[in-house]
């Protein structure tokens, strides 16, 4: 009997101990995902390099086995100020700390030491794929007149898939997103200047790689290189001059606020970004636009950006 690709349940839960199955449940840990893609058995095939008196293919042995999963979720806070969103565990597994201020806000910021990990269970019809010790990368993606998204890629330790009962997923914690519009996205500023924005992406640039040694096998977050790309309407240079800012290499603040209503607001603050060389111009509807690149830079450390949900 064939298995139904559309019949998926994705579960993710933060691990208490690295690489130990956190046993995510459909009742508490279901992810409302889009465009799920799975590479269940990544790794290296080591040739045995056997010397034989005849031609023929050589046998190989699979090593450094990992699983990789990518998917999108909608950027929509919980709807209740001070309550973490349903995707909070995903950010924590991407090297971000979660600070909960009850009744007020939830704040995410980068960390360097002891990043958390997650257990991922993906059910596709009757088959369950398990990824242990998963750590990942995320990219914020906001496009005018589109649903804002968080695009995740996770890598973790391989576990042989099994047949398993299909779980029931509770998706009620997931809220309806607000489309990126002038009314729903009230603030977009670079260096205190309001700019008309077409698109915005921030990639955490997490370096995720396997480390397979005798005595320890782990998927590590080894480095982070954040980057921002945004397209805005060009203005007079007296108002905003990205060329001079690139020459000066001075710290440039960026703020983006999306969402309206208590518990539905996400604010990204980048206090000190470096403007990169503008490498071209673009046009849409005969309006000149600037594709801009910025690099969030740490000042005291782990302070290159914050994402605050209120």
């Amino acid at each position: 009997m064939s298995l139904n690709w559309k019949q998926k349940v994705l579960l993710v839960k933060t691990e208490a101990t690295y690489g130990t199955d956190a046993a995510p449940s459909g009742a508490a840990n279901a992810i409302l995902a889009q465009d799920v893609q799975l590479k269940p058995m990544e790794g290296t095939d080591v040739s045995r390099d056997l010397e034989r008196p005849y031609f023929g293919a050589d046998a190989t042995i699979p090593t450094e086995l990992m699983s990789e999963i990518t998917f999108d979720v909608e950027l929509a806070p919980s709807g209740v100020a001070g309550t973490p969103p349903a995707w909070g565990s995903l950010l924590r597994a991407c090297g971000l700390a979660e600070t909960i201020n009850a009744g007020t806000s939830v704040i995410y910021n980068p960390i360097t030491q002891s990043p958390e990990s997650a257990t991922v269970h993906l059910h596709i019809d009757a088959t369950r794929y398990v990824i242990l010790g998963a750590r990942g990368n995320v990219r914020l993606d906001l496009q005018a007149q589109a649903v804002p998204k968080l695009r995740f890629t996770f890598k973790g330790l391989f576990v042989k898939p099994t047949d398993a009962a299909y779980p029931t997923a509770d998706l009620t914690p997931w809220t309806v997103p607000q489309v990126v519009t002038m009314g729903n996205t009230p603030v977009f500023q670079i260096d205190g200047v309001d700019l008309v924005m077409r698109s915005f992406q921030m990639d955490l640039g997490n370096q995720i790689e396997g480390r397979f040694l005798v005595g320890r096998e782990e998927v590590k977050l080894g480095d982070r290189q954040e980057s921002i790309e945004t397209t805005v309407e060009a203005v007079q240079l007296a108002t905003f001059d990205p060329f001079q800012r690139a020459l000066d290499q001075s710290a440039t603040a960026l703020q983006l606020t999306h969402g309206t209503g208590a518990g539905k607001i996400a604010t990204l603050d980048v206090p000190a970004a470096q403007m990169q060389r503008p490498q071209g111009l673009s046009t849409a509807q005969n309006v000149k636009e600037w594709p801009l690149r910025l690099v969030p830079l740490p000042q005291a450390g782990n302070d290159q950006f914050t994402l605050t949900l209120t």
Side-chain angles (χ1 to χ4, degrees):
M1 185 172 109
S2 61
L3 300 180
N4 191 338
W5 174 254
K6 292 281 289 183
Q7 193 174 349
K8 297 188 195 73
V9 171
L10 177 61
L11 312 175
V12 179
K13 185 177 180 181
T14 303
E15 294 177 341
T17 302
Y18 182 81
T20 299
D21 197 329
S25 70
N29 310 112
I31 303 297
L32 185 59
Q34 301 173 341
D35 192 22
V36 177
Q37 302 292 328
L38 177 69
K39 296 179 181 178
M41 199 173 184
E42 294 290 278
T44 302
D45 296 312
V46 177
S47 175
R48 293 177 63 192
D49 291 332
L50 300 174
E51 298 284 357
R52 296 176 298 192
Y54 45 82
F55 295 145
D58 213 6
T60 61
I61 300 173
T63 65
E64 298 182 327
L65 295 180
M66 293 190 294
S67 296
E68 178 178 322
I69 187 170
T70 63
F71 56 89
D72 300 347
V73 303
E74 296 168 328
L75 175 55
S78 67
V80 180
T83 298
W87 35 268
S89 60
L90 304 178
L91 290 186
R92 290 167 61 183
C94 290
L96 301 185
E98 179 183 77
T99 302
I100 301 172
N101 300 307
T104 304
S105 65
V106 181
I107 302 173
Y108 296 93
N109 65 273
I111 58 175
T112 298
Q113 298 296 326
S114 303
E116 293 183 282
S117 60
T119 293
V120 178
H121 287 189
L122 175 63
H123 293 256
I124 305 179
D125 204 323
T127 307
R128 181 180 68 180
Y129 299 88
V130 175
I131 307 175
L132 300 180
R135 292 182 172 126
N137 185 51
V138 61
R139 179 164 64 96
L140 285 74
D141 191 344
L142 288 84
Q143 306 283 333
Q145 303 302 318
V147 173
K149 295 181 180 181
L150 297 165
R151 303 183 182 276
F152 290 97
T153 299
F154 287 100
K155 296 179 181 180
L157 303 177
F158 168 77
V159 177
K160 185 180 178 297
T162 59
D163 292 329
Y166 195 75
T168 299
D170 179 8
L171 298 173
T172 55
W174 292 83
T175 60
V176 177
Q178 298 180 12
V179 172
V180 179
T181 65
M182 185 172 70
N184 292 336
T185 314
V187 177
F188 183 74
Q189 295 182 339
I190 300 179
D191 210 15
V193 178
D194 292 311
L195 295 172
V196 176
M197 182 264 287
R198 172 180 296 278
S199 64
F200 176 90
Q201 299 90 32
M202 185 176 81
D203 191 333
L204 263 62
N206 286 342
Q207 179 181 309
I208 306 297
E209 57 187 8
R211 181 173 170 84
F212 295 90
L213 302 175
V214 175
R216 176 174 297 166
E217 294 188 349
E218 181 181 8
V219 173
K220 291 186 63 65
L221 196 170
D223 198 1
R224 180 185 294 113
Q225 298 284 337
E226 296 96 339
S227 62
I228 291 173
E229 294 184 357
T230 184
T231 299
V232 301
E233 282 190 3
V235 297
Q236 289 186 338
L237 298 179
T239 301
F240 181 80
D241 188 342
F243 307 97
Q244 189 61 51
R245 284 169 170 77
L247 289 172
D248 292 343
Q249 300 182 27
S250 56
T252 300
L254 181 148
Q255 185 178 69
L256 170 62
T257 299
H258 174 72
T260 61
K264 301 179 180 181
I265 301 170
T267 300
L268 176 68
D269 282 297
V270 180
Q274 180 182 353
M275 181 72 69
Q276 301 290 284
R277 294 177 295 105
Q279 292 182 308
L281 302 175
S282 60
T283 180
Q285 299 172 298
N286 205 28
V287 175
K288 185 171 73 169
E289 297 181 341
W290 285 329
L292 301 178
R293 301 174 301 126
L294 301 99
V295 176
L297 297 177
Q299 302 301 291
N302 296 316
D303 55 358
Q304 49 266 54
F305 71 88
T306 57
L307 178 64
T308 303
L309 310 180
T310 55

